[in-house]
Amino acid sequence: TADALTSGDGGKVILWADDTTYFYGGISAIAGYKNGDGGFVETSGKNYLDFDGRVDVAAINGMGGTVLLDPTSITLLSGVDSNSTGFTAGSNISELFSEDSSSNTVLNPDASGSFDGISAGSTIILQATDFITVSNNFVLATATGNSNVSLVMQAGGSINVNANVTIDGSGTLHLEADSPHSSSGAADGTGTLNFANGTTTTTGGGTASFIGADFSIDGAITVGAGNISIAESRSSTTLALGSASGAILSDSELDNITTTGTLTIGQATTKGSDGAGTSASTLTSGAITLDELTLGSKKVALVSNSTINDDDDTSTSLTSSGTLTLTSSGNIGDSGGSQGLDLDVGTLSITGTGSGNVIITEASTLVLGATTVGGTFSGTATTGNITDSGALAITGAATFIT
C-alpha cells in the first residue's frame, strides 16, 4: 500500500520487468479521507503483461488516481487467451516462451476480468509500443464495477476499435495512435486510428480526443455535450478534409461523430510519456484544405498554424447551421478561387494569430461572431445581410459586400 492517511495524495507504486510481469495481487494508493487525489500505479512488462489483480487509487474528496498498463501490444478480448493455440494468461507460463507465443498482452474487459475493482473516478492508461486492439466490448463501468472511470490508450502503431467502448458519467476518452511518446515508431506516420463499422464509442458527456497519422471512422462516436478534439500525430502536417485532394477525414466519417459540444479539428494535446500528462505536447495542423463538408448543426473549430483554404470555387467547402471558428496564423481563403473560402454556416468566428488576410464568401446571411484578423478582411453575403454578434478587431482594410 501507498495510502495517504488523513490528508494528502496517494503515493506511487511501479511494478516493471525487463520481460514479463504477472500481477495477481492488490495495490492501494488512495488519497487521505479529508482531502487529496488518488495515487499512481504502473504495472508493466517490456514484452508481456498478465494483469489480473486489484488496484485502488480512489479519492473521497479529490480526483481519482491513475492506473497504467504498459506492455508491447494489447488486445482486449474476453477469455484472456493470448494466442490461437490456447495459451491462457496466468495458467501456463511455458507457452509464453514457445515459438507460437507473442509479445501481445491480452486483457479481459468483462466483469470480474482484468480491470475488476479499479476505483471510481480513476484513469486507466493502456500504452503499447506496437498496437492496441479492442476485440470485445469494453464497458468501463462493467469492467471495473465502478463509475466515472476515464480511459487513455496510446500506441506507437495503430489503435483498432473493433468493438464498443462505453464510458459513463464524468469519464473521458483519449485515443492516441502513432503516439509521439512511444519508445518505438513514435510519430513515424504509420499509426491509424480505426473505428470499425457497426461499433459505437460513447462517453456520458466527457470529453474525447483522437490523435493518429490517419483515421478510419466507420463506427459511431457519441459524446453527448462533450467536446471532441482531432489532430494528426505530427504537428505542421497538412490536413485535407471532405472531398479535398488527399483527405484523411471524409464528410461521411465526420457525420459518424455526434456531439452538441465543439468538434475541434486540427489541434489536440497528447497525454505525455506516462499517459497522465508528463511532457504532453499540443499538436497543431499545418495548412488545412477542405471541400464539400456537410455537418448538420455541429459546432466546428478548425485550427491551423498555417493557412485554411477550400479546394475550388465550384462548391461550398463547409455547411453547418452551427458556429464555425477558424484559427490560423496564415491567410484564410487566399487560394482555390477568387471567392475565397466558400461557407454556409450559422455564425462565423475568426481568430487570426498572425498577420494573415481573410477572404470569405457566405452562401446566405453572414453572421460574424468574435473575430480577430491581423491583415485585411473581405466578407461577402451572397443572398443576405452581414451582421455581427461579437467584437470585430481587424487590423487592415475591411470590405463587406452584400
Side-chain angles (χ1 to χ4, degrees), residues 54-117:
R54 297 179 66 86
V55 175
D56 191 353
V57 287
I60 297 174
N61 293 301
M63 297 289 292
T66 298
V67 181
L68 168 62
L69 311 179
D70 184 18
T72 300
S73 58
I74 299 172
T75 299
L76 300 181
L77 179 67
S78 299
V80 203
D81 289 335
S82 75
N83 54 53
S84 61
T85 61
F87 170 81
T88 301
S91 65
N92 184 357
I93 190 171
S94 63
E95 185 69 14
L96 180 64
F97 305 108
S98 66
E99 291 182 358
D100 61 353
S101 67
S102 70
S103 56
N104 177 25
T105 289
V106 181
L107 301 174
N108 182 1
D110 295 344
S112 302
S114 299
F115 303 97
D116 184 42

Side-chain angles (χ1 to χ4, degrees), residues 30-207:
I30 62 175
Y33 69 87
K34 285 188 176 180
N35 59 67
D37 297 332
F40 177 88
V41 175
E42 176 182 356
T43 57
S44 299
K46 184 175 182 180
N47 287 324
Y48 182 84
L49 170 66
D50 182 4
F51 181 92
D52 196 17
R54 297 179 66 86
V55 175
D56 191 353
V57 287
I60 297 174
N61 293 301
M63 297 289 292
T66 298
V67 181
L68 168 62
L69 311 179
D70 184 18
T72 300
S73 58
I74 299 172
T75 299
L76 300 181
L77 179 67
S78 299
V80 203
D81 289 335
S82 75
N83 54 53
S84 61
T85 61
F87 170 81
T88 301
S91 65
N92 184 357
I93 190 171
S94 63
E95 185 69 14
L96 180 64
F97 305 108
S98 66
E99 291 182 358
D100 61 353
S101 67
S102 70
S103 56
N104 177 25
T105 289
V106 181
L107 301 174
N108 182 1
D110 295 344
S112 302
S114 299
F115 303 97
D116 184 42
I118 291 177
S119 48
S122 301
T123 299
I124 297 171
I125 301 172
L126 304 179
Q127 290 183 330
T129 55
D130 194 352
F131 65 84
I132 299 175
T133 296
V134 181
S135 294
N136 288 102
N137 293 344
F138 191 15
V139 181
L140 270 72
T142 300
T144 64
N146 288 297
S147 298
N148 306 315
V149 178
S150 297
L151 176 64
V152 173
M153 292 184 179
Q154 294 173 291
S158 295
I159 296 177
N160 307 301
V161 181
N162 296 335
N164 298 338
V165 175
T166 305
I167 295 172
D168 75 325
S170 60
T172 61
L173 175 64
H174 179 91
L175 303 181
E176 186 177 316
D178 192 32
S179 172
H181 305 286
S182 175
S183 60
S184 176
D188 62 2
T190 60
T192 300
L193 183 52
N194 298 296
F195 297 87
N197 185 36
T199 64
T200 301
T201 299
T202 307
T203 76
T207 60

Side-chain angles (χ1 to χ4, degrees), residues 39-401:
F40 177 88
V41 175
E42 176 182 356
T43 57
S44 299
K46 184 175 182 180
N47 287 324
Y48 182 84
L49 170 66
D50 182 4
F51 181 92
D52 196 17
R54 297 179 66 86
V55 175
D56 191 353
V57 287
I60 297 174
N61 293 301
M63 297 289 292
T66 298
V67 181
L68 168 62
L69 311 179
D70 184 18
T72 300
S73 58
I74 299 172
T75 299
L76 300 181
L77 179 67
S78 299
V80 203
D81 289 335
S82 75
N83 54 53
S84 61
T85 61
F87 170 81
T88 301
S91 65
N92 184 357
I93 190 171
S94 63
E95 185 69 14
L96 180 64
F97 305 108
S98 66
E99 291 182 358
D100 61 353
S101 67
S102 70
S103 56
N104 177 25
T105 289
V106 181
L107 301 174
N108 182 1
D110 295 344
S112 302
S114 299
F115 303 97
D116 184 42
I118 291 177
S119 48
S122 301
T123 299
I124 297 171
I125 301 172
L126 304 179
Q127 290 183 330
T129 55
D130 194 352
F131 65 84
I132 299 175
T133 296
V134 181
S135 294
N136 288 102
N137 293 344
F138 191 15
V139 181
L140 270 72
T142 300
T144 64
N146 288 297
S147 298
N148 306 315
V149 178
S150 297
L151 176 64
V152 173
M153 292 184 179
Q154 294 173 291
S158 295
I159 296 177
N160 307 301
V161 181
N162 296 335
N164 298 338
V165 175
T166 305
I167 295 172
D168 75 325
S170 60
T172 61
L173 175 64
H174 179 91
L175 303 181
E176 186 177 316
D178 192 32
S179 172
H181 305 286
S182 175
S183 60
S184 176
D188 62 2
T190 60
T192 300
L193 183 52
N194 298 296
F195 297 87
N197 185 36
T199 64
T200 301
T201 299
T202 307
T203 76
T207 60
S209 48
F210 305 127
I211 294 170
D214 200 356
F215 301 89
S216 177
I217 306 177
D218 295 325
I221 299 172
T222 303
V223 300
N227 296 326
I228 297 177
S229 300
I230 301 176
E232 293 170 287
S233 53
R234 293 185 289 186
S235 274
S236 301
T237 303
T238 58
L239 174 62
L241 305 171
S243 63
S245 177
I248 65 170
L249 282 167
S250 68
D251 182 64
S252 61
E253 287 178 305
L254 293 175
D255 285 344
N256 287 331
I257 297 174
T258 301
T259 176
T260 58
T262 299
L263 172 61
T264 298
I265 303 172
Q267 188 172 78
T269 300
T270 71
K271 284 297 184 178
S273 56
D274 59 358
T278 299
S279 302
S281 58
T282 297
L283 305 171
T284 304
S285 292
I288 295 177
T289 306
L290 62 151
D291 208 4
E292 297 181 334
L293 289 173
T294 305
L295 301 179
S297 59
K298 286 186 176 70
K299 292 178 283 188
V300 180
L302 301 180
V303 183
S304 167
N305 61 22
S306 181
T307 59
I308 301 176
N309 292 294
D310 57 8
D311 234 12
D312 52 52
D313 267 345
T314 61
S315 59
T316 302
S317 61
L318 190 149
T319 301
S320 172
S321 61
T323 297
L324 171 64
T325 302
L326 302 177
T327 299
S328 172
S329 60
N331 293 338
I332 297 174
D334 70 333
S335 69
S338 60
Q339 294 179 193
L341 189 62
D342 295 285
L343 301 171
D344 188 0
V345 298
T347 300
L348 174 65
S349 292
I350 300 173
T351 302
T353 60
S355 58
N357 302 321
V358 176
I359 304 173
I360 298 293
T361 296
E362 164 63 37
S364 54
T365 297
L366 176 57
V367 180
L368 292 171
T371 292
T372 301
V373 177
T376 62
F377 176 85
S378 174
T380 299
T382 303
T383 62
N385 298 322
I386 298 177
T387 62
D388 67 271
S389 60
L392 306 182
I394 301 172
T395 302
T399 303
F400 300 93
I401 302 171

